Amino acid sequence: MIPANDNRERPAGFDAALESYLPKLRKQANYMAGTREDGEVLLHETVLRMLRCADNCRVETFKTWAQYKLLNTHSGMKAAARSQCRSAPTTSLTPANDNDSDAFARTIAHMRTPATQEAEADFSDAIRVLGTIKDGDLLLRRAMGFELKVIGDDLGVSKERVRQREEAARAAFCEAMQRSAA
């Protein structure tokens, strides 16, 4: 094994301990990850983490320390995979160049889904109710993604006051929608 050229002091015997324990660590990483490829990725990440904090390692307890590093790395990778699984994939809506406008139109047409008649009726009811309640326009601006500070600056009030008015408007909106549904 070639010693890392990271200009950090490692305990005496760290490199030898890592080199001797690496086959067992590789075997456990492959088992934990499920596939050989994922096991290699897990092993590389673990060794990188071990080298970053080698100064915290006592060579006498190297095997236990290495196991904890492997488990911690595996846990972090699983959490990252779960987080990535929950996020929706994104698609760029801008064409790569002007000649690609047909591809852009096809992408947009493929992504559009016509609203059902029932959804359109619900939306029209919601907009009608927003027009009748106090601060309905404020609630609509918040739904469109405007920040509290921007709305507050426009109205000349603080962010907290905008939040309070939004909360009251939401309650009034829910009440009005329930009345209109009944």
Side-chain angles (χ1 to χ4, degrees):
M1 175 183 277
I2 300 172
N5 188 13
D6 56 3
N7 298 328
R8 296 180 73 172
E9 292 294 322
R10 288 191 293 277
F14 178 86
D15 290 333
L18 178 60
E19 188 173 343
S20 68
Y21 196 61
L22 200 56
K24 182 157 174 73
L25 212 55
R26 174 176 280 116
K27 184 177 179 182
Q28 187 168 4
N30 288 340
Y31 175 76
M32 290 171 75
T35 65
R36 189 177 196 132
E37 293 80 23
D38 292 342
E40 284 298 315
V41 171
L42 175 60
L43 180 67
H44 288 181
E45 288 295 319
T46 302
V47 170
L48 282 174
R49 286 186 181 193
M50 290 168 66
L51 289 172
R52 278 191 211 118
C53 57
D55 50 342
N56 296 336
C57 174
R58 291 195 327 240
V59 178
E60 302 85 43
T61 59
F62 180 83
K63 291 180 180 181
T64 305
W65 181 76
Q67 291 293 321
Y68 280 124
K69 285 293 177 189
L70 180 66
L71 288 171
N72 186 288
T73 305
H74 184 249
S75 176
M77 290 175 76
K78 281 175 55 177
R82 281 192 305 268
S83 175
Q84 185 179 15
C85 184
R86 285 191 302 262
S87 62
T90 58
T91 303
S92 174
L93 296 179
T94 57
N97 55 36
D98 292 337
N99 298 336
D100 204 17
S101 60
D102 292 335
F104 178 66
R106 284 193 306 273
T107 301
I108 295 297
H110 182 267
M111 292 173 60
R112 277 193 215 135
T113 306
T116 63
Q117 190 173 8
E118 191 174 301
E120 287 180 9
D122 289 344
F123 180 70
S124 112
D125 286 345
I127 295 297
R128 180 186 51 76
V129 168
L130 279 174
T132 63
I133 64 170
K134 181 180 178 191
D135 290 328
D137 58 335
L138 183 142
L139 195 58
L140 184 60
R141 288 180 71 188
R142 283 292 289 152
M144 291 176 12
F146 284 86
E147 294 180 355
L148 294 173
K149 181 163 178 38
V150 172
I151 297 170
D153 290 345
D154 289 347
L155 299 175
V157 296
S158 68
K159 291 190 319 185
E160 177 60 24
R161 182 64 187 135
V162 173
R163 188 197 63 76
Q164 292 168 355
R165 288 172 64 175
E166 176 191 6
E167 189 176 322
R170 279 180 194 252
F173 176 73
C174 289
E175 188 178 305
M177 286 300 288
Q178 286 174 349
R179 274 194 313 249
S180 71

